[in-house]
Amino acid sequence: MNWATFGRMLAHEGLVADAALPPRDDDSMPGYLKLLSGLGAWLAALFVLGALGTASWRLLESAPGRGVLGLAACGACAFILRRREREAGPFLAQFLTAVSLAGGVLIASVALEATAEPASLLAAAAVVAAVLLLANPEPVHRLLMALAMVGCLALAVTQWGLHPVACVLLALAAAAAWLRQARWTVAGLGPLLAPLGTACFLGLVLLPAWSPAGAMSAVLAGASIHGTAGLRGLSAQLQWLEPAGLAVVLAATIILVGRELPGRANVAARAWFAPAAAAAIAVLAAAAWQAPGILACLLGWVIGMTAGRRLLANLALFGLAWYLLWLYYDLQTSLLGKGAALLATGAVLLALYLALRLARRPRRADVREQP
Amino acid sequence: MADADPRAHRDRIRTGDVLRLAERGLLPARSVGRALQLAGCAPTATGWRAAAERLLLGLGAAMVLAGVICVVAYNWSSLPRWGRFALAQAVLLLVFGMALLAGPGSRHGKVLLTVAIGLIGPLLALFGQTYQTGADTFELFRGWAALALPWVLASCFAPAWLLWLVVVESALGLHLGAFDLWWEIWFGVAPTWLLATLFNLLVLILWEYGARRSDWLAGRLGPRAIALCLVAPLTMLACASLFPAPAPGLGLALPAWALLMAGGYWTYRIRRLDLAMLALGWLSCTAVALALAVRLLVAFDAVALAFVAGAALLVASSAFGRQWLKAVAAQARATEAGHAIEAGAE
């Protein structure tokens, strides 16, 4: 289907006033050329930074000097990109991204000298990333800053023994960002919220693998080393929140997506769909209680497909494979326990598949009525 | 024959294209979901059902398989020797049987046969682990390549051939590493790395020849993967040869690299057009030019200047390469359009 045909389809359905849509943005450069340009830009930036570093090594030895250089680098890159009328080409964009990233690292090194407490350091890094996210409009730079910000915040929350809370919050944020992408695009917030949504999505599918029950024990051990016995109790009490919270978000997402689908063939609009979906997800959550990452990746897949982002949907499946690999090597549960959980989850999924197939078959009454 | 038109992907409506309409106020927010369905970016109600069925079936089967693997791993140490072999061989026979059932000519059959080819290696590894004969790892890969060859020939499937090539190259590489032969000079003139390069070049030539005669080899992934394995090590050796190094035979690296670049240009620019291959060659030339610049400047003890010159070279190379490849692609499109008009006129 080409752009002109798409315009006619939109006009036919009454979604646009005029079938003649404005031309799409020119994007004729193949992906591998952009990749090579980007790699060349990062290498060039490395050389330029090396030259500048050689010339200004005395400044780099002091914290204020590093801070000033970092601020200058980040500020200059943001200024150049904001002043341009047209979008920068891949080489310039990646060159400035690399320089800005180096500036951010210099600023973060000043914070590292100021405090050694992990949570404060992570919070400071998240603040630096948030400021750079707002200042520099380049998409790849924004994505990197969003990943840094979300990653630092998630790690800080996990430091406090609240890993399940982090997982559920990321699930809610990813769902809110992508299921309502149309609204924030119309509001002009697209360039800002797309990288944040992507970062939350990656956190959703990767964080459970980073900390299954095995890493939770490391958190508890860390809590005991720091002498916060109350934190240990809280962490143990909150373990149920991860599978339960993810199941609730998954069920709500499926029901919401189903209700908004147009068309008479939509069974999700019927009254029985919501309770049936909720019951199915509850059974699945019970089977996957020891492996909540499966629920997280399923949610990621639903979000990716709904938002029309096949890359995100495929990332969710990749995240699931990564999670299963991590689960295999986790030492907190025996292989037999893990095997039983996976077999139970597989059985539930196959049962749901059979239920969908049976629901698709025409009823006997309908068949008899046909001439 | 020209490479795929880089603008062909523009006929696909992307999610970003739809959202840009909303951003410009041409499409209301409540209509974006329906527009994405019309564009094929998001599924309709029927599409969701089909996608959900595929996901539930695939994921369910994967979970069951993962569960079985965990249970087997739990009991592995208590399994007797014959039990382990029976299990490994049963899996291999099951996959091979499924390939036969699906039909060797079908896509599913070919994929399953490729998986069966991949499972021969773990079976041989189990054999080596159980019977500690002191054999080297390269002998495992050599045996794997030999046993898999009949199935590879029967598959008529490019990924199966790629997998077999990986096994063969691993066997050769491990053999050379085991006997410390990488820097050996053969026949008084040819270092081992040069013979390895000639071997990969022969593989590439045979693959391209086969691609012209068989449809199943016509995809470009295979030749590009082989070209990457051919060009990357030779480029590194050519760069290393510019610096003082005691490695014997390294003096031949730069002339060999130059010959390869010339041959690649003639093949993929003049004889047939492949933008990805030209991009790979351009990247290789940039790397060698950069190494040369750094070598000259470091020799004059101008380290800071070396950094600046390196950056300038990369900027210039990137700009030139991009413009050159775009011009080549545009010329190819114009030539194809001309041929199409002539054919239509006839």
Side-chain angles (χ1 to χ4, degrees), chain A residues 3-361:
Chain A
W3 192 236
T5 309
F6 179 59
R8 285 193 290 274
M9 288 169 76
L10 289 178
H12 179 71
E13 295 232 353
L15 303 180
V16 294
D18 187 5
L21 300 174
R24 288 183 284 180
D25 294 345
D26 181 30
D27 187 22
S28 55
M29 190 186 288
Y32 61 84
L33 271 189
K34 285 187 199 174
L35 180 65
L36 290 176
S37 281
L39 284 174
W42 277 74
L43 270 177
L46 200 66
F47 276 87
V48 167
L49 292 171
L52 291 174
T54 310
S56 60
W57 62 272
R58 284 190 191 279
L59 267 180
L60 289 172
E61 283 182 340
S62 71
R66 284 200 303 276
V68 167
L69 279 178
L71 280 170
C74 294
C77 294
F79 179 77
I80 292 169
L81 285 167
R82 282 191 175 276
R83 289 284 293 178
R84 287 180 65 86
E85 287 176 2
R86 289 180 59 190
E87 199 176 310
F91 189 91
L92 179 64
Q94 293 311 306
F95 182 89
L96 293 176
T97 296
V99 171
S100 179
L101 209 61
V105 168
L106 288 176
I107 296 171
S109 71
V110 175
L112 187 64
E113 276 193 20
T115 174
E117 211 266 305
S120 303
L121 185 60
L122 288 168
V127 168
V128 170
V131 171
L132 290 178
L133 171 73
L134 290 169
N136 192 323
E138 205 281 317
V140 173
H141 183 274
R142 279 195 156 147
L143 178 60
L144 291 173
M145 291 303 111
L147 287 170
M149 189 180 90
V150 169
C152 288
L153 287 173
L155 285 175
V157 170
T158 307
Q159 279 282 317
W160 296 323
L162 299 174
H163 172 81
V165 175
C167 287
V168 176
L169 286 177
L170 284 171
L172 286 168
W178 290 111
L179 296 182
R180 289 293 172 256
Q181 65 174 341
R183 286 190 194 174
W184 43 258
T185 300
V186 166
L189 296 174
L192 206 54
L193 287 181
L196 276 174
T198 305
C200 291
F201 183 91
L202 286 174
L204 164 67
V205 300
L206 294 178
L207 195 62
W210 179 80
S211 180
M216 180 58 72
S217 68
V219 169
L220 295 176
S224 70
I225 287 170
H226 290 293
T228 49
L231 206 58
R232 277 181 83 182
L234 181 65
S235 304
Q237 285 171 16
L238 285 177
Q239 271 191 308
W240 61 271
L241 183 61
E242 191 174 349
L246 288 172
V248 167
V249 178
L250 177 59
T253 303
I254 289 172
I255 293 167
L256 190 66
V257 168
R259 284 209 174 137
E260 290 182 351
L261 286 174
R264 297 174 60 188
N266 182 19
V267 296
R270 297 184 192 169
W272 55 262
F273 179 77
I281 298 301
V283 171
L284 184 62
W289 198 260
Q290 296 292 328
I294 297 171
L295 298 170
C297 294
L298 268 177
L299 175 61
W301 183 84
V302 171
I303 290 172
M305 291 293 282
T306 307
R309 309 273 180 172
R310 296 300 168 102
L311 177 62
L312 292 183
N314 292 334
L315 275 175
L317 296 178
F318 172 77
L320 180 60
W322 169 251
Y323 178 76
L324 290 176
L325 191 64
W326 186 273
L327 189 69
Y328 182 83
Y329 288 103
D330 174 38
L331 297 175
Q332 286 304 299
T333 321
S334 70
L335 277 169
L336 191 63
K338 281 181 275 195
L342 290 171
L343 283 169
T345 307
V348 170
L349 289 170
L350 289 173
L352 288 173
Y353 163 74
L354 285 172
L356 270 184
R357 295 279 295 189
L358 284 171
R360 203 182 350 158
R361 269 206 250 155

Side-chain angles (χ1 to χ4, degrees), chain A residues 1 13 24 29 32 308 360, chain B residues 10-11 15 34 53 275:
Chain A
M1 176 187 4
E13 295 232 353
R24 288 183 284 180
M29 190 186 288
Y32 61 84
R360 203 182 350 158
Chain B
R10 282 170 51 79
D11 287 342
T15 302
R34 179 59 185 151
E53 285 182 9
L275 284 179

